[in-house]
Amino acid sequence: MSKNSHDSAHTHVAGTSEFVDDRPIMRGELFMDVVYSTHAHAKFTLDYSEALKDEDVVAVYTAADVHHNVWGTIFKDQPLIAKDVVQYAGEAVALVVAKTTVAAQYAKQKVKVNYQDLPAVLSINDAKKHNSYIADKRFIERGDIKSAFAKAKHTLSGEVVIQGHDHFYLESQVAIAYPLEDGQVEVHSSSQHPTETQHVVAHCLGLDAKDVVVQVKRMGGGFGGKESQAAPIAAMAALGAIKLNRPVRLCLTKDDDMVMTGKRNPFQNLYKVAFDDDGVIDGLEVELFSDGGAYADLSTSIMERAMLHSDNAYFIPNMKVAGQVCKTNHHPHTAFRGFGGPKGVATAEIIIEKIAHHLGLDPLEVRNKNVYRDEDGRNITHYNQIVKNNCLPKLFEKIEKDCHYKKRRSEITKFNQESDEFVKGLSITPVKFGISFTTRFLNQANAMVIIHLDSTLQIATGATEMGQGVNARICAMVTSEMGLERSHARVMPTRTDKNANTSPTAASSGTDLNGAAALLAVRKIKHRLSEFASLLLELPEARWPSKTAGLGTEAEIAIKTRNLDSNDPNEGADWKSGKATYFGVEFKDGVVTCKGRSINFPDLIREAYLSRVSLSDYAHYSIPGIEFNKLEGSGNAFLYFTQGVACSEVTLNRDTGEVKVDQVDILMDLGRPVNLDLDVGQVSGAFIQGMGWVTTENLVYNDQGYLLSHAPSTYKIPNIQDTPRVFNIELLENDENYANVRGTKAVGEPPLLLAISTWTAINNALTYLPTYKDSYPEVRIPATSENVLRAMAPQAFSKWSTP
C-alpha cells in the first residue's frame, strides 16, 4: 500500500472489498422487497392475498405492523409505511418477505393496490398557488436594501430554474438485519449516519437504543443520499428480522432505488440586483423556493445553506435573502453533495454574468470588482461572519494568469466570428464554501484508539467510509502522530456500540470532526507513553519491567495521573509537522527517543503494558466558535471557508446543441492537505459529478409524479467521453489556515460547485449569437443538449415550449 493510497484500493482492485450485499447468506436468511405507490397522491387499499398463496412467500407487512410508524430527521412527519393515503409515487405501502430475492420480486407484483386519486401538487409553482409549504419562510438581511435600489444606476431581475439531480451511487440502498438474543437486533447498513439509523430502527420497532447496533463498514457511494434515507430501509429489514426471528436482507434494485428515494432539491430563485456602471453590486434581493417533496427530510437545512451561500464569493453591502421550502407530492428530497450551497452559488454566478452582459464588460472583471477583500471592511458576509484566511483575490489573480484567460478570450471571440457550425464560451467561477454543520450540536465527534501488545493500532470513529478516503486520512493523522507507517494501524468499521451519538458523515466535515477526535485520543496515549519513556530510559535495561515485572522485584514506573482531556487538536503541535511533543520525547520512524537514548516503539509498548500504563483511550471533540443564530440569521455559521476557482471552456454544436467541455483549469485552496492524492481525486470527482448536474442529468416525471428516468438507459450521468479534454488541477499553497486540525481544509463538497463554471460558460457561448445581443439566455440547470438547442433558436421551438 503506497503512502497516499486509499485504504481499500487494493481490495477494490482485487474484488475482495465487502459491501453489505456481499455478506454471506446465513442459514434461514430471508429476502425483502418493497411494494410502493405509482401515484403521487391517492387514497389506497391493499389486497395481498395472492402473494401469500405463493409457497416461497413468508410474510407481508403493512403500516399496521410497525410499532411507531413516523420518523423524520428534523420533523417527525414521514411514515415508514404509508397507511390509507400515499403522498408520493415511490412511497412504500407494503413489505414482502420471501425465501429468495427473485421470489420476493415476483410476489410484490401480486400485491394489488387500488387507488383513488387526490389532487396532487407537482411543481414549485403549484405549491405557491396552493400555499403548500414546509415550515416558515426564513430571512437573512443586512444593510438597507430599499435605499440601494432607490439610488441604483442599473437594476436587473429574473428567475433561475434549477432542476433536481440523482445521487446515482453504485451501491443501492441496502440493509441486512440479524436478530440476536433477548430481543436485540444488529443491522448492517449502507448509511452515512449510523446513529440516526439506530434511532429510527429502535423507534419504529419499539426497542431501546441499547438493543440496536448498527454497523457501517463501507458504502458504494453516498453523496448525501444515504444521510437520512438509509434509515427507513434499515428499519424495514429490522422489522422483518424481529417479527420472524430470522435474518432479513433488503437490497433495492437501481430502478426501485431511483423511483423511491429523493434527489437534490429543485429550486426556483427570484432575484433583483442593483449595481453601478462598473458592475459593483450595491444591493441584492434573492427569494429562494425549493421543492422539498412530500415530507420535510433535510430540506429546511438545505434551504438554510442555500441562503448562506447566495453571496458566494462577493461582498454585497445591502442584501436580503428569503427562503421557502415547498411541499409537493414528489419523493422527499434530501441531502446531496454541496447540500444547498450549489443553488445559492449558481444564482450568484449567473447574476454576475448578466451584469457583465448588460454593461458590455468581461464577467471576470465584474467578479474581481465584487470579490471579498480584506480592505475597507469588504470581508464580512451578509450573515455577519468575517471571511478569514481569504484567498479569493489571490486565486482569481493566479488562475487568470495560469490558464491564459485573456488570450483564450480573444481567440474565442475570433473563432465565434468565423465559425458557422460551432460556438465557444469561457467562464471563471469561484466558490467560498462554509465548512461545518449549520446546526451547532451536530459539530461534535468521538473516537477511540487502541494500541495492541504487538504495537499495532485500531482506530474507531463515527466517520463512515463512502469511498472518499476519510479512513485513510484519519489513519494517516494518527500514525503520523506516533511516528509510524500508515500500515501500522487499521480504521475499524463504524459501529454504534463503539462510537455513539455521532453526527452524519456530511457537510464536508468527516475528517475535520473525527480526525480531530482521533488525534485527541491518541495524544492522551502519547502523553502517557512520553512520560513513561522519559522515566524508563533513565533506568538501566536490567531494571525495565520486561526483566522484573514477572517476579515483582522492582516498583512499577508510575506516571502522574492527570486530566488529559482537550478540545484543541492543535494544542502543543508544531505547525510544520502537525505533531505534539511531551517531556522532550520524540516519536519518529518507529523509534522513541529521549535525551539521546532510544527504544523501539514495540518494545516501549511492551514495557508500558507491564507497568499497567493504559494503551487505549477515547476522546470527544466539538468545533468551537459556531455561534449562528438561526432566528436572527446572524453569526459565525462556519469554522472556516474552503475556496477555489475554475475556468471552463466549452464548444456548442449549433446544429444539435451538443456540449463539449474542451478544457477545465481548477485551482483549490485546501490549506495543508492530509493526503494530496486523495484530495486531487476528490476535486476531480466532485467536479465531474457537478458537471453532470449542470449539463446532462435530467429527471423526467410523468403526470403522476412517477420518475420515468430511473435507470442508466434513461438518466445520463457523465462517462469518460464527457470529461474535459484538458483537465488541470492545482492546489494553492496555503500555510495560513489555523482554524482547523493540522491546518487542513475540507474537500468533499466544495469542488462540485466549481462545475457551475461549465454552465456559465455555456451561457457565455450563447451570448455570442445575434439572438442575445440585447438579452441574456435563460438556460436552466441542467443545460442539456435539448435545452441548449432551444436556447439557440427559441423562436423555432416556441410552439413546443411549456409555460
Side-chain angles (χ1 to χ4, degrees), residues 265-467:
N265 297 69
F267 268 67
Q268 286 179 209
N269 302 335
L270 305 174
Y271 67 86
K272 293 193 303 181
V273 61
F275 53 97
D276 65 17
D277 292 333
D278 294 323
V280 177
I281 299 173
D282 187 44
L284 175 62
E285 188 170 1
V286 182
E287 194 170 12
L288 309 174
F289 291 92
S290 74
D291 181 342
Y295 303 106
D297 201 274
L298 288 161
S299 290
T300 53
S301 286
I302 291 164
M303 174 58 76
E304 181 176 75
R305 187 169 279 265
M307 295 171 68
L308 292 169
H309 284 77
S310 292
D311 60 327
N312 192 22
Y314 310 109
F315 174 77
I316 303 169
N318 304 288
M319 187 169 177
K320 182 178 181 180
V321 186
Q324 178 66 68
V325 179
C326 297
K327 178 179 172 63
T328 68
N329 294 110
H330 284 302
H331 29 211
H333 295 303
T334 191
F336 200 134
R337 199 173 193 172
F339 220 53
K343 279 62 75 91
V345 169
T347 303
E349 292 308 318
I350 208 66
I351 288 171
I352 292 286
E353 294 282 329
K354 290 185 175 183
I355 290 172
H357 186 64
H358 179 80
L359 297 174
L361 300 174
D362 189 297
L364 181 57
E365 183 181 347
V366 177
R367 287 184 168 93
N368 275 317
K369 286 178 179 177
N370 288 284
V371 71
Y372 279 108
R373 297 185 183 277
D374 292 337
E375 59 267 20
D376 302 325
R378 295 180 64 87
N379 65 344
I380 303 176
T381 68
H382 58 298
Y383 46 92
N384 295 316
Q385 178 167 353
I386 296 174
V387 183
K388 296 180 180 178
N389 190 219
N390 179 15
C391 300
L392 289 164
K394 187 189 302 182
L395 289 165
F396 270 125
E397 181 181 357
K398 181 170 171 54
I399 199 168
E400 179 181 0
K401 178 182 176 182
D402 291 353
C403 77
H404 309 291
Y405 177 83
K406 291 181 179 178
K407 178 184 176 184
R408 289 166 64 192
R409 173 63 73 191
S410 177
E411 292 171 348
I412 285 172
T413 301
K414 182 180 178 182
F415 175 89
N416 289 339
Q417 290 171 346
E418 298 174 351
S419 176
D420 294 326
E421 186 178 357
F422 300 100
V423 61
K424 286 181 173 287
L426 185 69
S427 183
I428 293 178
T429 63
V431 65
K432 172 188 65 62
F433 195 84
I435 303 298
S436 54
F437 292 97
T438 55
T439 299
R440 181 169 54 193
F441 64 76
L442 293 176
N443 294 295
Q444 59 177 309
N446 58 74
M448 180 171 63
V449 177
I450 298 170
I451 303 180
H452 293 283
L453 291 186
D454 65 355
S455 79
T456 59
L457 287 73
Q458 288 181 329
I459 306 161
T461 77
T464 57
E465 178 60 67
M466 63 191 94

Side-chain angles (χ1 to χ4, degrees), residues 111-129:
V111 178
K112 296 178 182 178
V113 187
N114 298 305
Y115 299 98
Q116 181 183 340
D117 285 327
L118 300 170
V121 175
L122 294 173
S123 71
I124 290 174
N125 288 336
D126 278 351
K128 290 181 185 179
K129 181 179 177 180

